[in-house]
Amino acid sequence: MAKRLPARRLDGIDHNPWVEFGKLASEADVVNLGQGFPDFPPPDFAVEAFQHAVSRDFMLNQYTKAFGYPPLTKILASFFGKFLGQVIDPLKNVLVTVGAYGALFTAFQALVDVGDEVIIIEPFFDCYEPMTLMAGGRPVFVSLKPCPTQDGELDSSSNWQLDPTELASKFTSRTKALILNTPNNPLGKVFSRAELELVASLCQQHDVVCITDEVYQWLVYDGYQHISIASLPGMWERTLTVGSAGKTFSVTGWKVGWVLGPDSLLKHLRTVHQNSVYHCPTQGQAAVAQCFEQEQMLFGQPSSYFAQLPQAIQHNRDHMIRSLQSVGLRPVIPQGSYFLITDISDFKSKMPDLPGAADEPYDRRFVKWMIKNKGLVAIPVSVFYSVPHRKLFDHYIRFCFMKDESTLQAMDQKLQMWKDELRP
């Protein structure tokens, strides 16, 4: 065709790191510690809930309410209302979406207009930037920066801080929204109450919406506490809180997400939703509703999945940290999430000339080298940064420890061979 085919909103966002590194992972005999998904079974109660949904009530094969299966919106309102200190109306304050991805996309499309600025905290989950651009907005980046550590001491995600003055300088009369991710992917940082209060005060001062991605809220370690910014004074009215059944119940393929917030914001998301996906698959929503009903009864007890899962995954995290250290990698201890990032500065100084394009960040070249030569897949952290900042943070790579014990043992075998090669 002579006419331009792609819409201009797609310019510059056609490349996706998950497609590129997923392909590399499938081409060799490797241990895939890249993409963030569990490779172990979901809890039995979740599987049983899905089986019930597909076999017991034939009407679950049909349409449900456009904005969410009523038992699910009801339990989400009840469950999260306690955490947010709000009386949540299931019809006005809850929207069920196609995963957290769908919640985020719907929020950006509903609220971000051409020329609006969106503040994005780096490192950021990679979809935030293209979603801003597709809505016609302009991303404005501010970086978490690591504080110095003592010699020989592992860094921690809690040491990565926002500069209050720099953050404040990013707000202008054109700022429409700020996107917050806690626990953060890829860093694993859990924002403290003081940090959230800083963000909240600036959002209120400048009349800015906060879109908060809290999909890893149940995966917090070492006694740290997840706090939802919507629970802070004055923030419910200007916050959209995004959640994910995939991350909550280890069922990422179900693609059931939600967004909670005031009707003044959610009514605009409903307009996008009803004119795009209209509604999400009914059976998955029914299964998630049953899962939350069980967890609501057990919440706060040792038998709760939300208590058991982080204990098990913290063990995985600690296992991976020890193993990566054995070959000279320096993990940054995460406070939460599925992920940790690892400092590869020592390799950058010893092997600066790895194959790759002249302008390709070092971490991308390192990951490709590691896949080919060591049989381990990770994700370069530079993909979680804006282009101007990638070279500043291209000495980190991200590993996923939300894996089965057999996967971690396979990782250990690869690392042991690597360790043997390092011996003089």
Side-chain angles (χ1 to χ4, degrees):
M1 291 180 66
K3 292 180 180 178
R4 174 190 170 99
L5 280 176
R8 297 189 192 280
R9 72 177 69 91
L10 302 185
D11 288 350
I13 65 169
D14 54 331
H15 178 78
N16 185 286
W18 311 112
V19 174
E20 178 186 3
F21 287 95
K23 184 179 179 183
L24 290 172
S26 67
E27 290 179 348
D29 176 23
V30 298
V31 179
N32 189 352
L33 304 171
Q35 192 174 0
F37 61 87
D39 63 355
F40 49 82
D44 289 344
F45 68 83
V47 176
E48 291 166 6
F50 203 93
Q51 290 170 338
H52 290 170
V54 299
S55 62
R56 294 202 172 179
D57 182 354
F58 69 86
M59 286 307 296
L60 293 179
N61 292 290
Q62 309 306 327
Y63 296 129
T64 186
K65 297 288 186 182
F67 307 127
Y69 177 60
L72 178 56
T73 57
K74 183 178 178 181
I75 190 66
L76 290 173
S78 170
F79 195 90
F80 286 99
K82 298 180 179 69
F83 293 99
L84 300 180
Q86 296 291 327
V87 176
I88 295 180
D89 186 326
L91 298 178
K92 294 181 178 180
N93 304 134
V94 182
L95 174 64
V96 178
T97 59
V98 182
Y101 237 79
L104 291 163
F105 185 79
T106 303
F108 281 104
Q109 288 294 310
L111 300 179
V112 178
D113 210 347
V114 175
D116 286 344
E117 294 178 352
V118 177
I119 296 173
I120 301 176
I121 299 170
E122 299 178 304
F124 58 88
F125 186 55
D126 66 292
C127 74
Y128 303 158
E129 182 180 11
M131 286 185 182
T132 299
L133 294 170
M134 287 186 74
R138 187 173 83 85
V140 175
F141 301 98
V142 58
S143 297
L144 291 160
K145 296 183 177 65
C147 300
T149 58
Q150 300 290 329
D151 287 345
E153 182 182 67
L154 285 182
D155 195 5
S156 166
S157 61
S158 61
N159 292 335
W160 290 55
Q161 302 284 331
L162 287 169
D163 180 319
T165 303
E166 182 184 11
L167 177 62
S169 73
K170 302 298 181 180
F171 285 80
T172 73
S173 60
R174 296 180 298 278
T175 306
K176 186 65 168 291
L178 176 145
I179 176 80
L180 176 71
N181 179 206
T182 181
N184 172 272
N185 173 14
L187 181 59
K189 177 181 174 63
V190 176
F191 282 75
S192 68
R193 180 175 292 275
E195 290 170 317
L196 296 176
E197 287 173 344
L198 169 66
V199 172
S201 67
L202 289 167
C203 286
Q204 292 177 56
Q205 179 183 337
H206 295 275
D207 193 23
V208 167
V209 172
C210 181
I211 303 170
T212 178
D213 179 350
E214 302 186 3
V215 299
Y216 300 106
Q217 74 174 98
W218 307 111
L219 288 165
V220 178
Y221 316 117
D222 300 325
Y224 284 97
Q225 180 185 10
H226 169 80
I227 301 169
S228 291
I229 196 169
S231 69
L232 299 187
M235 285 305 290
W236 167 256
E237 295 80 6
R238 62 178 64 254
T239 302
L240 294 172
T241 304
V242 173
S244 161
K247 302 305 193 296
T248 299
F249 296 112
S250 304
V251 288
T252 58
W254 289 12
K255 293 298 288 184
V256 178
W258 56 84
V259 56
L260 312 173
D263 186 51
S264 59
L265 295 177
L266 272 189
K267 65 182 180 181
H268 304 301
L269 276 70
R270 291 195 292 268
T271 300
V272 174
H273 185 88
Q274 71 194 15
N275 290 294
S276 53
V277 299
Y278 184 67
H279 92 105
C280 305
T282 308
Q283 292 165 330
Q285 294 187 65
V288 174
Q290 189 173 328
C291 290
F292 267 112
E293 287 163 5
Q294 169 163 319
E295 280 304 296
Q296 189 168 52
M297 290 188 296
L298 297 176
F299 193 77
Q301 300 178 31
S303 56
S304 165
Y305 188 65
F306 295 165
Q308 293 180 346
L309 183 62
Q311 293 175 4
I313 303 307
Q314 182 171 328
H315 173 78
N316 289 8
R317 180 203 68 170
D318 294 344
H319 178 156
M320 180 175 280
I321 287 171
R322 290 190 299 268
S323 295
L324 294 176
Q325 283 183 281
S326 71
V327 295
L329 294 166
R330 289 185 287 156
V332 177
I333 302 172
Q335 300 161 274
S337 84
Y338 281 10
F339 310 105
L340 60 82
I341 70 171
T342 295
D343 191 328
I344 57 171
S345 296
D346 291 346
F347 290 90
K348 189 176 181 181
S349 61
K350 294 173 184 175
M351 305 187 304
D353 300 319
L354 292 177
D359 60 346
E360 189 173 22
Y362 182 80
D363 58 344
R364 293 175 67 92
R365 290 183 281 139
F366 183 87
V367 166
K368 292 175 184 178
W369 170 85
M370 187 173 68
I371 293 171
K372 181 179 179 180
N373 294 280
K374 306 302 177 186
L376 291 171
V377 180
I379 298 295
V381 168
S382 62
V383 305
F384 303 104
Y385 280 88
S386 59
V387 172
H389 295 160
R390 285 179 183 170
K391 287 288 188 179
L392 301 176
F393 294 93
D394 73 345
H395 54 286
Y396 295 98
I397 59 176
R398 190 197 78 172
F399 290 94
C400 176
F401 51 83
M402 190 73 173
K403 300 298 179 184
D404 187 73
E405 181 65 27
S406 63
T407 304
L408 297 178
Q409 290 174 358
M411 171 196 71
D412 288 342
Q413 292 173 2
K414 298 286 188 183
L415 289 170
Q416 183 60 49
M417 288 188 288
W418 190 349
K419 185 177 178 182
D420 291 342
E421 293 168 7
L422 292 172
R423 289 185 179 134

